[in-house]
Amino acid sequence: MIKNRDIKVNYGSFVILIAIFLSSLSFLYLIYSNFPHLEEEEKQFIKLPRNIEDAKNIGRVLKKYNQDHFNSVLAAYFFVYVFLQTFAIPGSIFLSILSGFLYPFPLALSLVCTCSALGASLCYALSALVARKIILRFLAQRINNWKLKVYKLKDDMFWYIVFLRITPLVPNWFMNLTSPIIEIPIKPFLFGTFVGVAPPSLIYISAGTTLNELTSSSSFISAKSVFGLIFVSILSLAPIVLPKMFPNFFSKYFSKFADTKNE
């Protein structure tokens, strides 16, 4: 078992993290500098959204430029979303809502899923390569508790990640930072994230189509959407639970399938 007091932090890791963060900020500033010319009253609204009013203001500005500068707006949206996910900064929910306001539904959904999966994987990589000891120093106990649960489901990791992305049982920032430490492979992590963020994103994107009518970040949450997420999360557990409930059936079925395939 990992204990906090046993971890010696290499403070050079802090320097590397800060350097990567500042480099990413510089890249975002470069994108902003090459953005279409904004009116002075519009510049105040170009910031990371912290509430639904911020999202509305950003949406109005970007909508104005989206038609004539589609690629510039799309690139800015993409890199800001990935930046927030990579450094576990709150605000991506409002960007998901914003996607429904700016883009057709299929593009919005694919964009949100791709940004979420890529940003989470970059966060995973930073944790594995640079921040491992820092994270262990502050989150050792919580990591130990989660590692025991993950070990029991190591053969069903893809579906477990899908389930966790749909439900709020494990915070996304915690999952992104600690997954490499407890040895969750990157492949199920990446693809499980891509699939798992889709159901809640459907709600956010749908809300974005009526962005100007929203009054708060929870005003679009309905009983129907909550029950829908619960239903989908239960479905995501089916590939894990059913083979354990009916082992004879599944072992017989898949053995026949394997025999047919080998013929």
Side-chain angles (χ1 to χ4, degrees):
M1 180 177 291
I2 303 169
K3 295 182 180 180
N4 300 62
R5 62 176 179 270
D6 297 332
I7 307 299
K8 293 183 178 180
V9 176
N10 178 4
Y11 289 97
S13 299
F14 280 110
V15 177
I16 295 173
L17 279 175
I18 292 172
I20 294 173
F21 180 78
L22 292 177
S23 298
S24 301
L25 275 181
S26 300
F27 184 71
L28 289 181
Y29 180 76
L30 180 64
I31 293 175
Y32 176 77
S33 300
N34 288 277
F35 202 73
H37 177 72
L38 299 172
E39 302 294 337
E40 285 301 319
E41 63 271 15
E42 295 172 335
K43 292 182 180 180
Q44 62 179 312
F45 300 128
I46 302 301
K47 59 183 180 180
L48 297 180
R50 288 287 174 262
N51 51 54
I52 204 66
E53 287 303 317
D54 286 347
K56 287 181 180 180
N57 291 329
I58 297 171
R60 294 187 191 102
V61 174
L62 295 183
K63 192 78 168 180
K64 175 181 175 181
Y65 295 94
N66 195 37
Q67 185 172 357
D68 294 332
H69 304 279
F70 180 85
N71 290 334
S72 297
V73 174
L74 183 64
Y77 178 94
F78 179 87
F79 286 111
V80 170
Y81 201 122
V82 172
F83 173 81
L84 294 182
Q85 289 288 308
T86 300
F87 295 100
I89 300 172
S92 58
I93 287 179
F94 297 110
L95 291 184
S96 297
I97 295 172
L98 197 58
S99 71
F101 183 71
L102 294 173
Y103 303 113
F105 197 89
L107 175 58
L109 182 60
S110 60
L111 188 60
V112 170
C113 291
T114 300
C115 291
S116 297
L118 178 59
S121 298
L122 289 173
C123 186
Y124 177 109
L126 279 179
S127 174
L129 298 174
V130 180
R132 183 184 184 91
K133 289 186 177 181
I134 299 173
I135 296 166
L136 284 172
R137 181 68 179 84
F138 296 102
L139 297 173
Q141 185 57 51
R142 293 182 67 178
I143 291 172
N144 285 328
N145 294 337
W146 192 37
K147 188 173 184 178
L148 295 174
K149 299 175 183 177
V150 168
Y151 182 78
K152 297 176 183 177
L153 296 166
K154 61 180 180 178
D155 296 328
D156 302 294
M157 193 52 59
F158 170 80
W159 292 110
Y160 183 50
I161 295 296
V162 171
F163 171 75
L164 291 179
R165 292 301 188 186
I166 297 172
T167 63
L169 297 181
V170 177
N172 283 329
W173 65 267
F174 179 80
M175 193 181 344
N176 295 345
L177 289 171
T178 60
S179 289
I181 298 173
I182 60 177
E183 300 177 351
I184 293 178
I186 185 61
K187 187 175 180 180
F189 178 86
L190 171 64
F191 291 106
T193 298
F194 184 89
V195 174
V197 298
S201 296
L202 291 173
I203 298 174
Y204 302 141
I205 294 169
S206 297
T209 60
T210 58
L211 177 61
N212 289 326
E213 301 173 14
L214 299 180
T215 57
S216 70
S217 58
S218 60
S219 60
F220 57 87
I221 302 295
S222 64
K224 183 178 179 180
S225 62
V226 171
F227 283 116
L229 286 180
I230 293 173
F231 177 72
V232 174
S233 65
I234 292 172
L235 284 182
S236 70
L237 288 178
I240 300 175
V241 176
L242 292 180
K244 292 179 172 61
M245 293 178 63
F246 308 101
N248 294 333
F249 171 81
F250 279 88
S251 60
K252 182 179 179 180
Y253 174 81
F254 283 108
S255 62
K256 286 183 178 180
F257 178 78
D259 292 341
T260 304
K261 188 175 181 180
N262 293 329
E263 288 179 356

PDB file of all heavy atoms in Angstrom, residues 214-251:
ATOM      1  N   LEU A 214     -31.303  29.489 -21.690  1.00  0.00           N
ATOM      2  CA  LEU A 214     -30.883  28.874 -20.431  1.00  0.00           C
ATOM      3  C   LEU A 214     -30.655  29.943 -19.368  1.00  0.00           C
ATOM      4  O   LEU A 214     -30.161  31.030 -19.653  1.00  0.00           O
ATOM      5  CB  LEU A 214     -29.593  28.071 -20.642  1.00  0.00           C
ATOM      6  CG  LEU A 214     -29.658  26.898 -21.633  1.00  0.00           C
ATOM      7  CD1 LEU A 214     -28.296  26.211 -21.718  1.00  0.00           C
ATOM      8  CD2 LEU A 214     -30.723  25.890 -21.219  1.00  0.00           C
ATOM      9  N   THR A 215     -31.008  29.606 -18.146  1.00  0.00           N
ATOM     10  CA  THR A 215     -30.842  30.547 -17.034  1.00  0.00           C
ATOM     11  C   THR A 215     -29.737  30.133 -16.067  1.00  0.00           C
ATOM     12  O   THR A 215     -29.240  30.951 -15.305  1.00  0.00           O
ATOM     13  CB  THR A 215     -32.163  30.678 -16.245  1.00  0.00           C
ATOM     14  OG1 THR A 215     -32.575  29.371 -15.792  1.00  0.00           O
ATOM     15  CG2 THR A 215     -33.253  31.266 -17.135  1.00  0.00           C
ATOM     16  N   SER A 216     -29.367  28.836 -16.097  1.00  0.00           N
ATOM     17  CA  SER A 216     -28.285  28.356 -15.237  1.00  0.00           C
ATOM     18  C   SER A 216     -27.730  27.083 -15.834  1.00  0.00           C
ATOM     19  O   SER A 216     -28.295  26.513 -16.768  1.00  0.00           O
ATOM     20  CB  SER A 216     -28.791  28.086 -13.805  1.00  0.00           C
ATOM     21  OG  SER A 216     -29.640  26.958 -13.788  1.00  0.00           O
ATOM     22  N   SER A 217     -26.609  26.605 -15.262  1.00  0.00           N
ATOM     23  CA  SER A 217     -25.973  25.397 -15.774  1.00  0.00           C
ATOM     24  C   SER A 217     -26.752  24.130 -15.435  1.00  0.00           C
ATOM     25  O   SER A 217     -26.422  23.048 -15.915  1.00  0.00           O
ATOM     26  CB  SER A 217     -24.554  25.282 -15.215  1.00  0.00           C
ATOM     27  OG  SER A 217     -24.584  25.264 -13.794  1.00  0.00           O
ATOM     28  N   SER A 218     -27.782  24.257 -14.607  1.00  0.00           N
ATOM     29  CA  SER A 218     -28.599  23.085 -14.259  1.00  0.00           C
ATOM     30  C   SER A 218     -30.015  23.179 -14.811  1.00  0.00           C
ATOM     31  O   SER A 218     -30.811  22.268 -14.618  1.00  0.00           O
ATOM     32  CB  SER A 218     -28.654  22.922 -12.734  1.00  0.00           C
ATOM     33  OG  SER A 218     -29.230  24.063 -12.131  1.00  0.00           O
ATOM     34  N   SER A 219     -30.326  24.267 -15.504  1.00  0.00           N
ATOM     35  CA  SER A 219     -31.696  24.468 -15.968  1.00  0.00           C
ATOM     36  C   SER A 219     -32.100  23.494 -17.066  1.00  0.00           C
ATOM     37  O   SER A 219     -33.286  23.304 -17.325  1.00  0.00           O
ATOM     38  CB  SER A 219     -31.877  25.907 -16.462  1.00  0.00           C
ATOM     39  OG  SER A 219     -31.003  26.187 -17.537  1.00  0.00           O
ATOM     40  N   PHE A 220     -31.110  22.884 -17.726  1.00  0.00           N
ATOM     41  CA  PHE A 220     -31.422  21.951 -18.808  1.00  0.00           C
ATOM     42  C   PHE A 220     -31.476  20.503 -18.332  1.00  0.00           C
ATOM     43  O   PHE A 220     -31.756  19.594 -19.113  1.00  0.00           O
ATOM     44  CB  PHE A 220     -30.385  22.073 -19.934  1.00  0.00           C
ATOM     45  CG  PHE A 220     -28.968  21.843 -19.478  1.00  0.00           C
ATOM     46  CD1 PHE A 220     -28.429  20.575 -19.433  1.00  0.00           C
ATOM     47  CD2 PHE A 220     -28.178  22.915 -19.084  1.00  0.00           C
ATOM     48  CE1 PHE A 220     -27.136  20.366 -19.014  1.00  0.00           C
ATOM     49  CE2 PHE A 220     -26.877  22.721 -18.667  1.00  0.00           C
ATOM     50  CZ  PHE A 220     -26.357  21.442 -18.631  1.00  0.00           C
ATOM     51  N   ILE A 221     -31.190  20.275 -17.048  1.00  0.00           N
ATOM     52  CA  ILE A 221     -31.242  18.917 -16.508  1.00  0.00           C
ATOM     53  C   ILE A 221     -32.682  18.589 -16.120  1.00  0.00           C
ATOM     54  O   ILE A 221     -33.288  19.271 -15.305  1.00  0.00           O
ATOM     55  CB  ILE A 221     -30.332  18.770 -15.271  1.00  0.00           C
ATOM     56  CG1 ILE A 221     -28.887  19.133 -15.629  1.00  0.00           C
ATOM     57  CG2 ILE A 221     -30.413  17.360 -14.722  1.00  0.00           C
ATOM     58  CD1 ILE A 221     -28.248  18.211 -16.616  1.00  0.00           C
ATOM     59  N   SER A 222     -33.206  17.534 -16.724  1.00  0.00           N
ATOM     60  CA  SER A 222     -34.572  17.113 -16.447  1.00  0.00           C
ATOM     61  C   SER A 222     -34.566  15.690 -15.889  1.00  0.00           C
ATOM     62  O   SER A 222     -33.558  14.973 -15.969  1.00  0.00           O
ATOM     63  CB  SER A 222     -35.419  17.162 -17.720  1.00  0.00           C
ATOM     64  OG  SER A 222     -34.931  16.235 -18.674  1.00  0.00           O
ATOM     65  N   ALA A 223     -35.704  15.299 -15.339  1.00  0.00           N
ATOM     66  CA  ALA A 223     -35.835  13.929 -14.837  1.00  0.00           C
ATOM     67  C   ALA A 223     -35.630  12.926 -15.967  1.00  0.00           C
ATOM     68  O   ALA A 223     -35.021  11.860 -15.784  1.00  0.00           O
ATOM     69  CB  ALA A 223     -37.208  13.746 -14.196  1.00  0.00           C
ATOM     70  N   LYS A 224     -36.115  13.273 -17.149  1.00  0.00           N
ATOM     71  CA  LYS A 224     -35.981  12.390 -18.313  1.00  0.00           C
ATOM     72  C   LYS A 224     -34.512  12.166 -18.666  1.00  0.00           C
ATOM     73  O   LYS A 224     -34.086  11.034 -18.929  1.00  0.00           O
ATOM     74  CB  LYS A 224     -36.727  12.995 -19.505  1.00  0.00           C
ATOM     75  CG  LYS A 224     -36.701  12.120 -20.748  1.00  0.00           C
ATOM     76  CD  LYS A 224     -37.496  12.781 -21.866  1.00  0.00           C
ATOM     77  CE  LYS A 224     -37.463  11.923 -23.134  1.00  0.00           C
ATOM     78  NZ  LYS A 224     -38.226  12.555 -24.237  1.00  0.00           N
ATOM     79  N   SER A 225     -33.714  13.240 -18.657  1.00  0.00           N
ATOM     80  CA  SER A 225     -32.298  13.108 -19.003  1.00  0.00           C
ATOM     81  C   SER A 225     -31.538  12.331 -17.932  1.00  0.00           C
ATOM     82  O   SER A 225     -30.648  11.535 -18.249  1.00  0.00           O
ATOM     83  CB  SER A 225     -31.667  14.488 -19.200  1.00  0.00           C
ATOM     84  OG  SER A 225     -31.732  15.253 -18.007  1.00  0.00           O
ATOM     85  N   VAL A 226     -31.893  12.534 -16.665  1.00  0.00           N
ATOM     86  CA  VAL A 226     -31.240  11.808 -15.580  1.00  0.00           C
ATOM     87  C   VAL A 226     -31.534  10.316 -15.679  1.00  0.00           C
ATOM     88  O   VAL A 226     -30.614   9.479 -15.587  1.00  0.00           O
ATOM     89  CB  VAL A 226     -31.693  12.349 -14.208  1.00  0.00           C
ATOM     90  CG1 VAL A 226     -31.175  11.452 -13.084  1.00  0.00           C
ATOM     91  CG2 VAL A 226     -31.203  13.774 -14.010  1.00  0.00           C
ATOM     92  N   PHE A 227     -32.800   9.965 -15.880  1.00  0.00           N
ATOM     93  CA  PHE A 227     -33.153   8.553 -16.019  1.00  0.00           C
ATOM     94  C   PHE A 227     -32.521   7.948 -17.265  1.00  0.00           C
ATOM     95  O   PHE A 227     -32.165   6.764 -17.285  1.00  0.00           O
ATOM     96  CB  PHE A 227     -34.666   8.380 -16.047  1.00  0.00           C
ATOM     97  CG  PHE A 227     -35.324   8.484 -14.704  1.00  0.00           C
ATOM     98  CD1 PHE A 227     -36.224   9.497 -14.411  1.00  0.00           C
ATOM     99  CD2 PHE A 227     -35.005   7.571 -13.698  1.00  0.00           C
ATOM    100  CE1 PHE A 227     -36.811   9.601 -13.166  1.00  0.00           C
ATOM    101  CE2 PHE A 227     -35.596   7.662 -12.442  1.00  0.00           C
ATOM    102  CZ  PHE A 227     -36.500   8.681 -12.177  1.00  0.00           C
ATOM    103  N   GLY A 228     -32.384   8.764 -18.313  1.00  0.00           N
ATOM    104  CA  GLY A 228     -31.714   8.286 -19.522  1.00  0.00           C
ATOM    105  C   GLY A 228     -30.267   7.920 -19.261  1.00  0.00           C
ATOM    106  O   GLY A 228     -29.787   6.876 -19.727  1.00  0.00           O
ATOM    107  N   LEU A 229     -29.567   8.764 -18.503  1.00  0.00           N
ATOM    108  CA  LEU A 229     -28.176   8.477 -18.169  1.00  0.00           C
ATOM    109  C   LEU A 229     -28.058   7.248 -17.273  1.00  0.00           C
ATOM    110  O   LEU A 229     -27.134   6.441 -17.427  1.00  0.00           O
ATOM    111  CB  LEU A 229     -27.539   9.684 -17.477  1.00  0.00           C
ATOM    112  CG  LEU A 229     -27.193  10.881 -18.355  1.00  0.00           C
ATOM    113  CD1 LEU A 229     -26.582  11.985 -17.509  1.00  0.00           C
ATOM    114  CD2 LEU A 229     -26.245  10.491 -19.469  1.00  0.00           C
ATOM    115  N   ILE A 230     -28.991   7.116 -16.339  1.00  0.00           N
ATOM    116  CA  ILE A 230     -28.982   5.929 -15.466  1.00  0.00           C
ATOM    117  C   ILE A 230     -29.175   4.664 -16.295  1.00  0.00           C
ATOM    118  O   ILE A 230     -28.479   3.652 -16.105  1.00  0.00           O
ATOM    119  CB  ILE A 230     -30.084   6.044 -14.396  1.00  0.00           C
ATOM    120  CG1 ILE A 230     -29.759   7.182 -13.421  1.00  0.00           C
ATOM    121  CG2 ILE A 230     -30.233   4.727 -13.631  1.00  0.00           C
ATOM    122  CD1 ILE A 230     -30.862   7.470 -12.428  1.00  0.00           C
ATOM    123  N   PHE A 231     -30.096   4.723 -17.256  1.00  0.00           N
ATOM    124  CA  PHE A 231     -30.366   3.569 -18.109  1.00  0.00           C
ATOM    125  C   PHE A 231     -29.137   3.196 -18.935  1.00  0.00           C
ATOM    126  O   PHE A 231     -28.754   2.027 -19.018  1.00  0.00           O
ATOM    127  CB  PHE A 231     -31.557   3.873 -19.022  1.00  0.00           C
ATOM    128  CG  PHE A 231     -31.871   2.767 -20.000  1.00  0.00           C
ATOM    129  CD1 PHE A 231     -32.441   1.583 -19.558  1.00  0.00           C
ATOM    130  CD2 PHE A 231     -31.576   2.920 -21.352  1.00  0.00           C
ATOM    131  CE1 PHE A 231     -32.717   0.565 -20.457  1.00  0.00           C
ATOM    132  CE2 PHE A 231     -31.860   1.903 -22.254  1.00  0.00           C
ATOM    133  CZ  PHE A 231     -32.438   0.725 -21.806  1.00  0.00           C
ATOM    134  N   VAL A 232     -28.492   4.203 -19.529  1.00  0.00           N
ATOM    135  CA  VAL A 232     -27.314   3.941 -20.357  1.00  0.00           C
ATOM    136  C   VAL A 232     -26.161   3.423 -19.500  1.00  0.00           C
ATOM    137  O   VAL A 232     -25.408   2.539 -19.924  1.00  0.00           O
ATOM    138  CB  VAL A 232     -26.891   5.216 -21.119  1.00  0.00           C
ATOM    139  CG1 VAL A 232     -25.580   4.985 -21.869  1.00  0.00           C
ATOM    140  CG2 VAL A 232     -27.976   5.631 -22.096  1.00  0.00           C
ATOM    141  N   SER A 233     -26.014   3.955 -18.289  1.00  0.00           N
ATOM    142  CA  SER A 233     -24.936   3.482 -17.408  1.00  0.00           C
ATOM    143  C   SER A 233     -25.153   2.027 -17.011  1.00  0.00           C
ATOM    144  O   SER A 233     -24.192   1.251 -16.911  1.00  0.00           O
ATOM    145  CB  SER A 233     -24.841   4.369 -16.165  1.00  0.00           C
ATOM    146  OG  SER A 233     -26.012   4.272 -15.367  1.00  0.00           O
ATOM    147  N   ILE A 234     -26.413   1.642 -16.819  1.00  0.00           N
ATOM    148  CA  ILE A 234     -26.718   0.241 -16.516  1.00  0.00           C
ATOM    149  C   ILE A 234     -26.385  -0.637 -17.712  1.00  0.00           C
ATOM    150  O   ILE A 234     -25.815  -1.736 -17.573  1.00  0.00           O
ATOM    151  CB  ILE A 234     -28.199   0.079 -16.116  1.00  0.00           C
ATOM    152  CG1 ILE A 234     -28.453   0.763 -14.765  1.00  0.00           C
ATOM    153  CG2 ILE A 234     -28.584  -1.401 -16.029  1.00  0.00           C
ATOM    154  CD1 ILE A 234     -29.915   0.815 -14.371  1.00  0.00           C
ATOM    155  N   LEU A 235     -26.714  -0.160 -18.916  1.00  0.00           N
ATOM    156  CA  LEU A 235     -26.381  -0.913 -20.127  1.00  0.00           C
ATOM    157  C   LEU A 235     -24.874  -1.105 -20.267  1.00  0.00           C
ATOM    158  O   LEU A 235     -24.405  -2.155 -20.713  1.00  0.00           O
ATOM    159  CB  LEU A 235     -26.913  -0.185 -21.370  1.00  0.00           C
ATOM    160  CG  LEU A 235     -28.409  -0.278 -21.658  1.00  0.00           C
ATOM    161  CD1 LEU A 235     -28.725   0.468 -22.955  1.00  0.00           C
ATOM    162  CD2 LEU A 235     -28.857  -1.732 -21.774  1.00  0.00           C
ATOM    163  N   SER A 236     -24.102  -0.088 -19.892  1.00  0.00           N
ATOM    164  CA  SER A 236     -22.650  -0.191 -20.013  1.00  0.00           C
ATOM    165  C   SER A 236     -22.069  -1.243 -19.080  1.00  0.00           C
ATOM    166  O   SER A 236     -20.974  -1.758 -19.315  1.00  0.00           O
ATOM    167  CB  SER A 236     -21.996   1.170 -19.733  1.00  0.00           C
ATOM    168  OG  SER A 236     -22.106   1.512 -18.360  1.00  0.00           O
ATOM    169  N   LEU A 237     -22.798  -1.554 -18.004  1.00  0.00           N
ATOM    170  CA  LEU A 237     -22.345  -2.593 -17.073  1.00  0.00           C
ATOM    171  C   LEU A 237     -22.725  -3.998 -17.529  1.00  0.00           C
ATOM    172  O   LEU A 237     -22.187  -4.983 -17.011  1.00  0.00           O
ATOM    173  CB  LEU A 237     -22.934  -2.341 -15.676  1.00  0.00           C
ATOM    174  CG  LEU A 237     -22.365  -1.168 -14.886  1.00  0.00           C
ATOM    175  CD1 LEU A 237     -23.104  -1.043 -13.560  1.00  0.00           C
ATOM    176  CD2 LEU A 237     -20.874  -1.348 -14.644  1.00  0.00           C
ATOM    177  N   ALA A 238     -23.645  -4.083 -18.477  1.00  0.00           N
ATOM    178  CA  ALA A 238     -24.128  -5.397 -18.925  1.00  0.00           C
ATOM    179  C   ALA A 238     -23.002  -6.321 -19.384  1.00  0.00           C
ATOM    180  O   ALA A 238     -22.978  -7.505 -19.000  1.00  0.00           O
ATOM    181  CB  ALA A 238     -25.176  -5.227 -20.028  1.00  0.00           C
ATOM    182  N   PRO A 239     -22.030  -5.855 -20.207  1.00  0.00           N
ATOM    183  CA  PRO A 239     -20.960  -6.758 -20.629  1.00  0.00           C
ATOM    184  C   PRO A 239     -20.077  -7.241 -19.483  1.00  0.00           C
ATOM    185  O   PRO A 239     -19.360  -8.232 -19.624  1.00  0.00           O
ATOM    186  CB  PRO A 239     -20.141  -5.892 -21.614  1.00  0.00           C
ATOM    187  CG  PRO A 239     -21.082  -4.842 -22.075  1.00  0.00           C
ATOM    188  CD  PRO A 239     -21.949  -4.554 -20.892  1.00  0.00           C
ATOM    189  N   ILE A 240     -20.105  -6.520 -18.349  1.00  0.00           N
ATOM    190  CA  ILE A 240     -19.329  -6.940 -17.184  1.00  0.00           C
ATOM    191  C   ILE A 240     -20.126  -7.901 -16.311  1.00  0.00           C
ATOM    192  O   ILE A 240     -19.636  -8.944 -15.881  1.00  0.00           O
ATOM    193  CB  ILE A 240     -18.913  -5.713 -16.343  1.00  0.00           C
ATOM    194  CG1 ILE A 240     -18.066  -4.752 -17.177  1.00  0.00           C
ATOM    195  CG2 ILE A 240     -18.150  -6.146 -15.087  1.00  0.00           C
ATOM    196  CD1 ILE A 240     -17.718  -3.463 -16.452  1.00  0.00           C
ATOM    197  N   VAL A 241     -21.392  -7.544 -16.073  1.00  0.00           N
ATOM    198  CA  VAL A 241     -22.210  -8.275 -15.098  1.00  0.00           C
ATOM    199  C   VAL A 241     -22.778  -9.583 -15.669  1.00  0.00           C
ATOM    200  O   VAL A 241     -22.732 -10.626 -15.010  1.00  0.00           O
ATOM    201  CB  VAL A 241     -23.360  -7.374 -14.593  1.00  0.00           C
ATOM    202  CG1 VAL A 241     -24.280  -8.154 -13.664  1.00  0.00           C
ATOM    203  CG2 VAL A 241     -22.798  -6.143 -13.895  1.00  0.00           C
ATOM    204  N   LEU A 242     -23.303  -9.531 -16.890  1.00  0.00           N
ATOM    205  CA  LEU A 242     -23.996 -10.699 -17.447  1.00  0.00           C
ATOM    206  C   LEU A 242     -23.112 -11.940 -17.558  1.00  0.00           C
ATOM    207  O   LEU A 242     -23.562 -13.049 -17.205  1.00  0.00           O
ATOM    208  CB  LEU A 242     -24.609 -10.352 -18.806  1.00  0.00           C
ATOM    209  CG  LEU A 242     -25.775  -9.354 -18.762  1.00  0.00           C
ATOM    210  CD1 LEU A 242     -26.309  -9.095 -20.168  1.00  0.00           C
ATOM    211  CD2 LEU A 242     -26.901  -9.872 -17.860  1.00  0.00           C
ATOM    212  N   PRO A 243     -21.868 -11.850 -18.048  1.00  0.00           N
ATOM    213  CA  PRO A 243     -21.032 -13.061 -18.094  1.00  0.00           C
ATOM    214  C   PRO A 243     -20.773 -13.671 -16.725  1.00  0.00           C
ATOM    215  O   PRO A 243     -20.571 -14.880 -16.620  1.00  0.00           O
ATOM    216  CB  PRO A 243     -19.725 -12.549 -18.728  1.00  0.00           C
ATOM    217  CG  PRO A 243     -20.131 -11.364 -19.524  1.00  0.00           C
ATOM    218  CD  PRO A 243     -21.210 -10.712 -18.696  1.00  0.00           C
ATOM    219  N   LYS A 244     -20.788 -12.825 -15.681  1.00  0.00           N
ATOM    220  CA  LYS A 244     -20.587 -13.353 -14.329  1.00  0.00           C
ATOM    221  C   LYS A 244     -21.870 -13.972 -13.779  1.00  0.00           C
ATOM    222  O   LYS A 244     -21.841 -14.900 -12.972  1.00  0.00           O
ATOM    223  CB  LYS A 244     -20.102 -12.233 -13.407  1.00  0.00           C
ATOM    224  CG  LYS A 244     -18.697 -11.730 -13.743  1.00  0.00           C
ATOM    225  CD  LYS A 244     -18.286 -10.608 -12.819  1.00  0.00           C
ATOM    226  CE  LYS A 244     -16.821 -10.227 -13.020  1.00  0.00           C
ATOM    227  NZ  LYS A 244     -16.530  -9.752 -14.374  1.00  0.00           N
ATOM    228  N   MET A 245     -23.024 -13.460 -14.222  1.00  0.00           N
ATOM    229  CA  MET A 245     -24.298 -14.004 -13.769  1.00  0.00           C
ATOM    230  C   MET A 245     -24.650 -15.315 -14.490  1.00  0.00           C
ATOM    231  O   MET A 245     -25.258 -16.212 -13.898  1.00  0.00           O
ATOM    232  CB  MET A 245     -25.410 -12.982 -13.995  1.00  0.00           C
ATOM    233  CG  MET A 245     -25.310 -11.730 -13.138  1.00  0.00           C
ATOM    234  SD  MET A 245     -26.629 -10.536 -13.498  1.00  0.00           S
ATOM    235  CE  MET A 245     -28.091 -11.488 -13.031  1.00  0.00           C
ATOM    236  N   PHE A 246     -24.258 -15.379 -15.769  1.00  0.00           N
ATOM    237  CA  PHE A 246     -24.583 -16.566 -16.574  1.00  0.00           C
ATOM    238  C   PHE A 246     -23.311 -17.113 -17.224  1.00  0.00           C
ATOM    239  O   PHE A 246     -23.172 -17.114 -18.456  1.00  0.00           O
ATOM    240  CB  PHE A 246     -25.612 -16.211 -17.650  1.00  0.00           C
ATOM    241  CG  PHE A 246     -26.840 -15.519 -17.120  1.00  0.00           C
ATOM    242  CD1 PHE A 246     -26.984 -14.148 -17.243  1.00  0.00           C
ATOM    243  CD2 PHE A 246     -27.844 -16.248 -16.484  1.00  0.00           C
ATOM    244  CE1 PHE A 246     -28.109 -13.507 -16.756  1.00  0.00           C
ATOM    245  CE2 PHE A 246     -28.970 -15.616 -15.988  1.00  0.00           C
ATOM    246  CZ  PHE A 246     -29.106 -14.240 -16.125  1.00  0.00           C
ATOM    247  N   PRO A 247     -22.368 -17.590 -16.416  1.00  0.00           N
ATOM    248  CA  PRO A 247     -21.069 -18.025 -16.957  1.00  0.00           C
ATOM    249  C   PRO A 247     -21.185 -19.208 -17.913  1.00  0.00           C
ATOM    250  O   PRO A 247     -20.463 -19.270 -18.904  1.00  0.00           O
ATOM    251  CB  PRO A 247     -20.274 -18.396 -15.697  1.00  0.00           C
ATOM    252  CG  PRO A 247     -21.309 -18.694 -14.668  1.00  0.00           C
ATOM    253  CD  PRO A 247     -22.448 -17.779 -14.958  1.00  0.00           C
ATOM    254  N   ASN A 248     -22.094 -20.136 -17.613  1.00  0.00           N
ATOM    255  CA  ASN A 248     -22.223 -21.314 -18.474  1.00  0.00           C
ATOM    256  C   ASN A 248     -22.697 -20.941 -19.877  1.00  0.00           C
ATOM    257  O   ASN A 248     -22.181 -21.429 -20.877  1.00  0.00           O
ATOM    258  CB  ASN A 248     -23.198 -22.319 -17.852  1.00  0.00           C
ATOM    259  CG  ASN A 248     -22.667 -22.904 -16.554  1.00  0.00           C
ATOM    260  OD1 ASN A 248     -21.447 -22.982 -16.369  1.00  0.00           O
ATOM    261  ND2 ASN A 248     -23.565 -23.301 -15.668  1.00  0.00           N
ATOM    262  N   PHE A 249     -23.694 -20.073 -19.932  1.00  0.00           N
ATOM    263  CA  PHE A 249     -24.232 -19.647 -21.228  1.00  0.00           C
ATOM    264  C   PHE A 249     -23.161 -18.948 -22.057  1.00  0.00           C
ATOM    265  O   PHE A 249     -22.963 -19.256 -23.236  1.00  0.00           O
ATOM    266  CB  PHE A 249     -25.429 -18.717 -21.021  1.00  0.00           C
ATOM    267  CG  PHE A 249     -25.912 -18.066 -22.292  1.00  0.00           C
ATOM    268  CD1 PHE A 249     -26.735 -18.759 -23.169  1.00  0.00           C
ATOM    269  CD2 PHE A 249     -25.519 -16.776 -22.609  1.00  0.00           C
ATOM    270  CE1 PHE A 249     -27.161 -18.165 -24.340  1.00  0.00           C
ATOM    271  CE2 PHE A 249     -25.945 -16.175 -23.781  1.00  0.00           C
ATOM    272  CZ  PHE A 249     -26.779 -16.870 -24.652  1.00  0.00           C
ATOM    273  N   PHE A 250     -22.457 -18.008 -21.450  1.00  0.00           N
ATOM    274  CA  PHE A 250     -21.483 -17.220 -22.206  1.00  0.00           C
ATOM    275  C   PHE A 250     -20.270 -18.049 -22.601  1.00  0.00           C
ATOM    276  O   PHE A 250     -19.738 -17.881 -23.704  1.00  0.00           O
ATOM    277  CB  PHE A 250     -21.051 -15.986 -21.397  1.00  0.00           C
ATOM    278  CG  PHE A 250     -22.035 -14.859 -21.476  1.00  0.00           C
ATOM    279  CD1 PHE A 250     -23.091 -14.774 -20.570  1.00  0.00           C
ATOM    280  CD2 PHE A 250     -21.939 -13.903 -22.471  1.00  0.00           C
ATOM    281  CE1 PHE A 250     -24.009 -13.734 -20.658  1.00  0.00           C
ATOM    282  CE2 PHE A 250     -22.857 -12.863 -22.563  1.00  0.00           C
ATOM    283  CZ  PHE A 250     -23.908 -12.784 -21.649  1.00  0.00           C
ATOM    284  N   SER A 251     -19.819 -18.936 -21.719  1.00  0.00           N
ATOM    285  CA  SER A 251     -18.677 -19.769 -22.073  1.00  0.00           C
ATOM    286  C   SER A 251     -19.041 -20.716 -23.216  1.00  0.00           C
ATOM    287  O   SER A 251     -18.253 -20.943 -24.137  1.00  0.00           O
ATOM    288  CB  SER A 251     -18.200 -20.573 -20.858  1.00  0.00           C
ATOM    289  OG  SER A 251     -19.245 -21.416 -20.377  1.00  0.00           O
TER     290      SER A 251
END
